[in-house]
Amino acid sequence: MKLKNKFLMLIMFVLLFAVSACSKGETAGSSEGSKEGTKGKSELKLTLSAQPPTLDTVATNSVDSATVARNIFETLVTPNSNFQPTPMLAKSVDISEDGKTYTFVLRQGVKFHNGKEMTSEDVVASMNRWKEASVVAKDVLGDAVFEAKDDYTVTLQLQQPSSGLLNILASTKQFPAIMPKEIVEKATPEGVTEFIGTGPFKVEEVKQNQYIHLTKNDDYQPVDGKADGLAGKREALVDDVYFYIVKDAATRLSAIQTGEYDINTDVYFEQYDTVKKDKNIQTYPDQYGNLMAVYNKKSGLFTNQKMRQAINAAINTEDIMLATFSHEELFNLDHGYMSKDQKDWYTKKGLESYNQADTKKAKELLKEAGYNGEEIKLIATSDYSEHYDSAVVLEGQLRELGVNVKLETFDWPTLLEKRKDPAAWDILVTGYSTVTTPAQILYLNPNDHGWTDDAKIADLLAKINAAPSTAEAQPLWAELQEYASNEYVPVTTFGTYSLVAAARSNVKGFEIFQGPVVWNTSVQ
């Protein structure tokens, strides 16, 4: 009996010790998100405003695809917060004295989600596929190929130096995801069918137009170093990540206010004040890039340069940006193809052709172009409010000019297909994310939608790419922007703008850099 009582007293002592420990946050009650000690909420729920057409970033430049895929796939180098290329799957990068040979030494022991170790054969297959699929890579790399020197060394031999090559490899748009060789070899023009990478999360389920479910990669091997931009240490602090496809802005707002979702990756601009005033929500403005009208220069009315100049002369960009974003802190009136933050590239050349709002000049140019009331097909997506709202304002301005314009809107995946057809549209309203070199500007490329096919632009881009330094390339870039803005007019830039994400106050460690950064994020 005494032994039994002593046993009961021992149990009570152990329980009291456990309760005391819990009250001090030493067990699973107070989360720092680390694997060893405490756990927070085991899942993170985010919203997307559009269904990604694929999670294969090599096959698309969709922002939503990149938002999800950056958690699944990794690259040889990735940008830090200053957009400087930093090793990720590459342990080191060596550039020869003549600037023509790049040697990538790979990190050893990195495993794909299927358990296979990443080696040079996987990198070579992935990079050569990306080189052929990416219009930017194709222009810069030409006939150069990636080759395996040994199991953990990859070389790239260029025909001429390229000062911006590593920036292109570190691009967040249509980024060169490293996948297993056997997956790459099965890829079709539409993309791969299995999404297997080396990232901190792996694909569990894709339910079309409902959600994309990722799970923690328990075998993930992060790089050393402090997290910085997309560089540095990445750690999965939750077991499950759900990206829910929620197209309606009001539904997204309500869901984050009630806590149904943890993060809204796309806050409607008119909701900005409401979200900002909510003490339970933190806002995250993210400098995205340019909003603009792209002209179809391959087929139809806008193969005529005078037509492009006419519409460019008529547009009041200030009215478009104010009506679209409501808050001046979310946009800048800027004509530049490169951001003001990019000191090496920004130029004021071409400013005289920006925000003209000159109806008289526009009508004279329309007359010179021989315009006779033909219908102008203006297209945009309804999935992104900034695209749709600015297109509506543009339509109104063009109607006041006296042109016969018809606005058609589509969901994002449909628009991605529609814009490939030169017979389907005349003007496309869309956004372009920030890039780090002129070579990455898609609307200056003859193979991208808009089809800019101009000898002078091509020649200047080639010289810029081949320049041994940015200092020597900058005057060439200024000349290109001046010519494109004043004469050729491939696009009309409305201005630069920020997208807004919002997270519940119990979301910790969340950052935003060219989109949401999900790793290193926990929910308490």
Side-chain angles (χ1 to χ4, degrees):
M1 188 71 173
K2 289 181 179 179
L3 182 62
K4 183 176 181 182
N5 287 338
K6 287 182 179 180
F7 183 70
L8 289 172
M9 289 178 67
L10 179 62
I11 291 175
M12 290 179 68
F13 178 79
V14 170
L15 288 173
L16 284 169
F17 182 83
V19 170
S20 175
C22 280
S23 69
K24 294 178 181 178
E26 295 171 359
T27 60
S30 62
S31 172
E32 295 301 324
S34 65
K35 186 175 180 181
E36 289 84 13
T38 57
K39 276 187 179 181
K41 190 176 176 184
S42 64
E43 63 182 26
L44 182 67
K45 296 180 178 181
L46 305 91
T47 65
L48 290 177
S49 56
Q51 170 70 45
T54 177
L55 298 182
D56 180 4
T57 60
V58 178
T60 181
N61 57 20
S62 163
V63 173
D64 287 304
S65 294
T67 294
V68 179
R70 60 167 46 171
N71 302 285
I72 305 163
F73 302 109
E74 295 180 308
T75 51
L76 290 174
V77 292
T78 196
N80 63 18
S81 59
N82 293 318
F83 289 93
Q84 297 166 324
T86 306
M88 177 53 68
L89 290 177
K91 182 179 180 180
S92 63
V93 183
D94 179 70
I95 307 173
S96 63
E97 288 187 12
D98 64 4
K100 295 181 180 180
T101 304
Y102 286 69
T103 302
F104 302 88
V105 177
L106 307 179
R107 292 166 51 207
Q108 297 186 27
V110 175
K111 291 184 178 181
F112 288 108
H113 297 153
N114 60 5
K116 172 190 170 183
E117 184 186 10
M118 178 196 72
T119 65
S120 56
E121 69 173 9
D122 304 300
V123 173
V124 167
S126 299
M127 296 305 294
N128 283 332
R129 173 182 173 242
W130 167 79
K131 183 182 75 71
E132 293 303 315
S134 167
V135 292
V136 173
K138 194 178 296 183
D139 281 352
V140 173
L141 297 180
D143 295 329
V145 294
F146 290 85
E147 296 180 332
K149 188 174 180 180
D150 57 43
D151 285 349
Y152 301 106
T153 307
V154 173
T155 60
L156 174 66
Q157 184 71 42
L158 300 175
Q159 295 176 340
Q160 60 184 12
S162 175
S163 58
L165 176 64
L166 288 179
N167 291 99
I168 294 170
L169 295 186
S171 175
T172 59
K173 179 184 288 186
Q174 201 175 11
F175 65 79
I178 303 302
M179 309 176 188
K181 178 184 177 183
E182 58 272 21
I183 300 296
V184 173
E185 290 175 342
K186 296 177 183 177
T188 67
E190 288 71 38
V192 298
T193 55
E194 294 180 81
F195 307 115
I196 297 175
T198 60
F201 293 95
K202 54 188 178 181
V203 178
E204 179 70 19
E205 182 183 17
V206 177
K207 201 146 189 178
Q208 190 73 8
N209 290 315
Q210 293 188 45
Y211 60 79
I212 299 166
H213 178 196
L214 309 183
T215 57
K216 180 178 180 179
N217 174 15
D218 290 322
D219 295 324
Y220 181 66
Q221 299 180 33
V223 297
D224 294 328
K226 183 180 178 181
D228 180 29
L230 300 186
K233 187 175 182 179
R234 300 178 177 183
E235 187 177 6
L237 300 182
V238 293
D239 296 326
D240 298 275
V241 175
Y242 290 88
F243 289 91
Y244 288 93
I245 315 304
V246 185
K247 296 184 178 182
D248 181 67
T251 303
R252 292 196 301 272
L253 174 62
S254 174
I256 194 171
Q257 287 176 321
T258 61
E260 181 182 355
Y261 299 125
D262 303 304
I263 298 172
N264 179 355
T265 64
D266 185 15
V267 174
Y268 192 62
F269 297 105
E270 290 184 357
Q271 301 168 341
Y272 184 58
D273 276 341
T274 301
V275 174
K276 199 171 183 181
K277 292 176 183 176
D278 192 323
K279 65 180 180 180
N280 295 313
I281 298 174
Q282 178 70 41
T283 56
Y284 296 82
D286 181 29
Q287 173 69 43
Y288 176 77
N290 300 88
L291 187 66
M292 60 180 58
V294 181
Y295 301 108
N296 177 356
K297 298 168 290 296
K298 189 173 186 178
S299 175
L301 292 169
F302 290 92
T303 55
N304 187 328
Q305 183 171 295
K306 292 291 183 182
M307 282 292 296
R308 304 195 298 271
Q309 292 175 353
I311 301 303
N312 185 68
I315 293 176
N316 184 324
T317 56
E318 185 172 4
D319 284 355
I320 289 176
M321 296 298 277
L322 276 170
T324 301
F325 299 102
S326 304
H327 300 273
E328 292 187 0
E329 63 190 274
L330 296 179
F331 73 88
N332 287 302
L333 292 175
D334 188 21
H335 75 298
Y337 294 167
M338 299 292 283
S339 167
K340 282 183 178 179
D341 296 332
Q342 295 166 303
K343 308 297 183 185
D344 290 340
W345 292 111
Y346 186 76
T347 175
K348 292 185 177 180
K349 294 292 186 181
L351 179 60
E352 60 270 28
S353 294
Y354 175 69
N355 194 26
Q356 297 176 67
D358 190 336
T359 301
K360 182 179 178 182
K361 177 181 177 181
K363 288 184 176 180
E364 290 173 355
L365 286 165
L366 285 174
K367 187 175 181 181
E368 290 178 35
Y371 177 69
N372 195 31
E374 295 92 338
E375 182 179 85
I376 292 174
K377 291 175 281 188
L378 173 65
I379 67 170
T381 182
S382 53
D383 285 347
Y384 299 118
S385 61
E386 69 273 20
H387 294 199
Y388 175 76
D389 292 346
S390 57
V392 169
V393 180
L394 176 60
E395 180 190 31
Q397 290 185 3
L398 296 185
R399 287 190 183 280
E400 288 182 12
L401 180 64
V403 300
N404 178 17
V405 60
K406 179 182 179 183
L407 173 61
E408 295 183 359
T409 59
F410 308 91
D411 63 27
W412 185 238
T414 302
L415 186 81
L416 293 179
E417 290 302 312
K418 183 72 68 173
R419 70 185 186 182
K420 295 177 184 177
D421 181 4
W425 60 278
D426 296 304
I427 303 175
L428 163 67
V429 172
T430 192
Y432 284 89
S433 58
T434 300
V435 295
T436 52
T437 64
Q440 298 172 57
I441 299 178
L442 294 178
Y443 53 82
L444 295 180
N445 192 294
N447 298 313
D448 197 63
H449 53 273
W451 303 282
T452 295
D453 191 5
D454 180 79
K456 184 171 182 176
I457 289 177
D459 178 62
L460 285 169
L461 277 177
K463 291 177 179 177
I464 290 167
N465 293 337
S469 69
T470 303
E472 293 173 78
Q474 208 282 336
L476 296 168
W477 170 243
E479 181 183 352
L480 190 157
Q481 182 173 290
E482 182 175 36
Y483 166 71
S485 300
N486 295 340
E487 297 181 50
Y488 183 75
V489 194
V491 298
T492 291
T493 299
F494 301 156
T496 60
Y497 68 104
S498 295
L499 298 178
V500 181
R504 299 281 301 175
S505 57
N506 62 325
V507 175
K508 304 301 179 183
F510 178 63
E511 298 287 345
I512 194 155
F513 181 81
Q514 295 289 285
V517 179
V518 173
W519 55 83
N520 303 338
T521 300
S522 62
V523 186
Q524 295 184 358

